[in-house]
Amino acid sequence: HCISSGNSSSFEIVTINLQGFPKAGGPTVTKVKDLINRINPDVIALQEMASETDFNNLLEELNGWDGRFYPVVNSEWNLAYLFKTSEIEIDDSKTRLILSGDSYAFPRAPFEIFVSHKVLNISTYLINIHLKCCSGTDNETRRRDASEKLDNYIKPIRPSDPVIILGDYNDIISGESPSTNVFYNLVSASSEYLFTDMNNAKGSMLWWSYP
């Protein structure tokens, strides 16, 4: 009941980790299709797409949608995008992996695309990420390193372009110091970066996507 449906007068972008899609084969494809039709967003960034074949099966089940799958084979950790063709177009000359030579910071290289909303005439770069999981000093260091390298990539390469970094950050964003927040370099740069779900992060864990 808390899901609101998208419409052509707004630009809706969703991100979701589908955890080894399709977890239960065909029924999972059907469940995801039904969820997408109910939410009806414009763009969806996906993580943990284990099967390109089933990604294509999902596309076949969705009317009016197209997609882009991870351009490298990464076991079950592939990234992907879905987009509604009536409202969104992609400039494939700008579709690429970034920061792909650094598996320490990025075990899954970020997947960048450039999308335009046909109705609203809005364009933006999207960077789909899935950072290193789990607790522990080394894993936190890897996520902190990734945060710094994303910042170092965006500032010189996209100094005036709109950019949305979305996906699975695998850590909290609400810590108020560098020691409690591996993304503090981004969070503290409030004139440059906005975390749209910060209110959720600072609120009840019942509204967190995980756990």
Side-chain angles (χ1 to χ4, degrees):
H1 67 280
C2 62
I3 297 175
S4 58
S5 180
N7 59 74
S8 62
S9 63
S10 58
F11 189 6
E12 304 99 11
I13 303 174
V14 171
T15 181
I16 183 169
N17 183 326
L18 288 176
Q19 197 183 40
F21 175 88
K23 199 79 171 178
T28 299
V29 174
T30 300
K31 286 284 187 181
V32 173
K33 177 202 70 173
D34 292 344
L35 179 63
I36 291 170
N37 286 333
R38 183 178 175 190
I39 301 174
N40 191 34
D42 297 319
V43 181
I44 306 172
L46 301 165
Q47 302 86 46
E48 291 200 37
M49 303 298 290
S51 169
E52 185 173 6
T53 297
D54 285 295
F55 174 77
N56 290 330
N57 290 339
L58 174 62
L59 270 178
E60 290 178 3
E61 294 286 326
L62 291 166
N63 294 321
W65 287 78
D66 199 354
R68 298 292 182 271
F69 197 80
Y70 211 37
V72 297
V73 178
N74 196 6
S75 185
E76 66 181 72
W77 311 107
N78 300 291
L79 306 175
Y81 290 98
L82 295 168
F83 62 95
K84 193 189 309 177
T85 55
S86 62
E87 296 185 34
I88 300 297
E89 58 185 10
I90 289 182
D91 182 349
D92 275 320
S93 70
K94 299 177 180 178
T95 297
R96 62 178 185 154
L97 298 184
I98 63 172
L99 302 164
S100 57
D102 188 348
S103 60
Y104 181 80
F106 300 102
R108 281 76 55 166
F111 189 10
E112 181 181 75
I113 63 172
F114 184 77
V115 300
S116 298
H117 193 285
K118 302 176 187 178
V119 180
L120 300 178
N121 195 29
I122 296 173
S123 298
T124 183
Y125 285 91
L126 303 179
I127 300 177
N128 188 356
I129 64 172
H130 183 187
L131 301 184
K132 183 66 179 72
C133 76
C134 308
S135 59
T137 300
D138 185 61
N139 291 326
E140 290 179 2
T141 299
R142 293 177 70 173
R143 290 190 290 273
R144 182 175 286 105
D145 191 30
S147 184
E148 292 170 354
K149 287 173 176 172
L150 284 167
D151 184 36
N152 291 336
Y153 168 78
I154 290 171
K155 282 181 178 175
I157 301 295
R158 310 268 175 252
S160 58
D161 296 319
V163 178
I164 299 174
I165 311 170
L166 71 175
D168 191 343
Y169 283 67
N170 261 323
D171 212 319
I172 62 170
I173 62 173
S174 57
E176 297 183 355
S177 71
S179 63
T180 61
N181 190 341
V182 299
F183 309 114
Y184 189 75
N185 65 307
L186 303 180
V187 171
S188 61
S190 57
S191 63
E192 298 171 296
Y193 297 100
L194 170 68
F195 282 77
T196 59
D197 54 355
M198 184 59 78
N199 285 339
N200 284 353
K202 291 183 175 181
S204 170
M205 289 176 63
L206 294 174
W207 296 104
W208 290 9
S209 60
Y210 182 86

